[in-house]
Amino acid sequence: MSGAARPKKHIGQHFLHDRDIIERIVAAVAPQPGDALLEIGPGEGVLTLPLLRAAGALTAIELDLDLLEPLRARAAEVGTLQLLHADVLKVDLGMLAPARPLRIVGNLPYYISSPILFHCLAYAAHIRDMHFMLQQEVVERMAAAPGGKDYGRLSVMLQLACTVEPLLQVSAGAFRPPPRVESAVVRLTPLAREALPQVAPAALEQVVRAAFGQRRKTLGNALCGVLDADAIRVCGIDPQLRAERLAPADFVRLAQQSVAVRAASVL
């Protein structure tokens, strides 16, 4: 790209340049006129422009001030681009979706991908779908089934909130500069409200975090500050199991039990 920006290592910039990968991502998103598209970290705009061309309008959040004006100039004759200079972790995504649910796209900085994922999950009610480029091992953790080393807190929390669909692998050579890891694109589709866990999110987060906090511990030991062994058994779960053996729905039952135990203790 003529006048290409110099990637800034301290904010994890790796600019996608592989045309085939770009086309496949845009095809996976399949933007339509009227979609409420939001791009996180548009960089040089290699995804922004084809998305904008298809949808007619797009909002992008970019932390790097130096990239804003070049991107605004490239988009001027393509469609209506709203650029926000901000840290996405400080943006109220719900305010960006007053009329239609958001369709979020992003090549996420790998060093901060999990915080961005959890930030987006907090606004899942305002989101139709998300397409993210992430480190391949993170995508593997997101989609992991119980029982394996990849299965953990990220797997459980995401799978209780979204359908997780790995879409394609991306080699390091698709970026400038090449990262030291392989990448992958994943689609996250928030579940319908009636399919969401019927428990307070804070209680669920507490149980999942404690259960996976020290993976070698049994549930009875890992959850000792939240639930005792008898309370775990009430859920139909063996307290001698380790967290990675439980399905996401098991953690919901444990969280519901923790709420019940807490309520009983104040009566």
Side-chain angles (χ1 to χ4, degrees):
M1 178 181 294
S2 177
R6 177 174 296 179
K8 296 177 180 177
K9 186 176 181 180
H10 70 282
I11 54 175
Q13 286 179 338
H14 294 275
F15 295 133
L16 183 64
H17 67 79
D18 187 298
R19 300 309 308 179
D20 178 63
I21 295 298
I22 292 166
E23 290 173 4
R24 291 172 69 185
I25 294 172
V26 173
V29 177
Q32 301 295 319
D35 283 349
L37 287 176
L38 171 66
E39 186 178 8
I40 297 172
E44 296 179 304
V46 297
L47 288 173
T48 313
L49 299 185
L51 292 171
L52 185 59
R53 192 171 291 112
L58 181 147
T59 299
I61 301 171
E62 177 55 63
L63 182 62
D64 187 349
L65 185 61
D66 293 338
L67 295 175
L68 298 186
E69 288 309 316
L71 181 55
R72 187 174 284 114
R74 293 187 187 106
E77 296 182 2
V78 178
T80 302
L81 176 64
Q82 178 185 14
L83 270 176
L84 303 179
H85 176 229
D87 177 348
V88 66
L89 296 178
K90 299 178 181 179
V91 174
D92 182 340
L93 300 182
M95 295 295 291
L96 300 179
R100 301 182 306 281
L102 294 171
R103 305 196 66 203
I104 303 181
V105 181
N107 175 16
L108 303 186
Y110 294 164
Y111 77 100
I112 200 172
S113 59
S114 289
I116 293 175
L117 287 170
F118 282 110
H119 182 67
C120 290
L121 281 186
Y123 296 93
H126 301 281
I127 296 171
R128 173 177 151 190
D129 57 23
M130 297 169 270
H131 292 79
F132 290 138
M133 176 90 73
L134 298 159
Q135 189 172 337
Q136 184 175 329
E137 70 173 41
V138 173
V139 173
E140 290 170 352
R141 285 164 48 204
M142 292 163 64
K149 63 180 179 62
D150 292 331
Y151 183 72
R153 171 176 172 253
L154 185 64
S155 320
V156 172
M157 298 303 293
L158 281 173
Q159 291 173 29
L160 286 172
C162 303
T163 299
V164 181
E165 301 174 75
L167 297 179
L168 63 142
Q169 296 182 2
V170 183
S171 69
F175 299 91
R176 177 178 60 84
R180 296 180 180 179
V181 296
E182 298 299 290
S183 304
V185 177
V186 64
R187 177 188 291 127
L188 302 175
T189 306
L191 300 177
R193 181 175 298 180
E194 58 271 17
L196 293 172
Q198 300 303 301
V199 66
L204 181 61
E205 169 66 22
Q206 180 188 33
V207 165
V208 175
R209 185 183 292 275
F212 285 103
Q214 298 184 60
R215 296 180 67 103
R216 294 176 64 86
K217 285 190 174 184
T218 64
L219 288 169
N221 289 325
L223 296 178
C224 63
V226 182
L227 291 170
D228 61 26
D230 287 339
I232 295 171
R233 290 190 188 94
V234 167
C235 300
I237 297 169
D238 183 351
Q240 292 302 308
L241 292 175
R242 290 186 172 86
E244 64 264 21
R245 307 304 303 180
L246 273 58
D250 294 327
F251 290 99
V252 176
R253 296 205 304 278
L254 289 169
Q256 291 168 335
Q257 181 68 4
S258 75
V259 172
V261 167
R262 191 177 302 116
S265 69
V266 299
L267 293 179

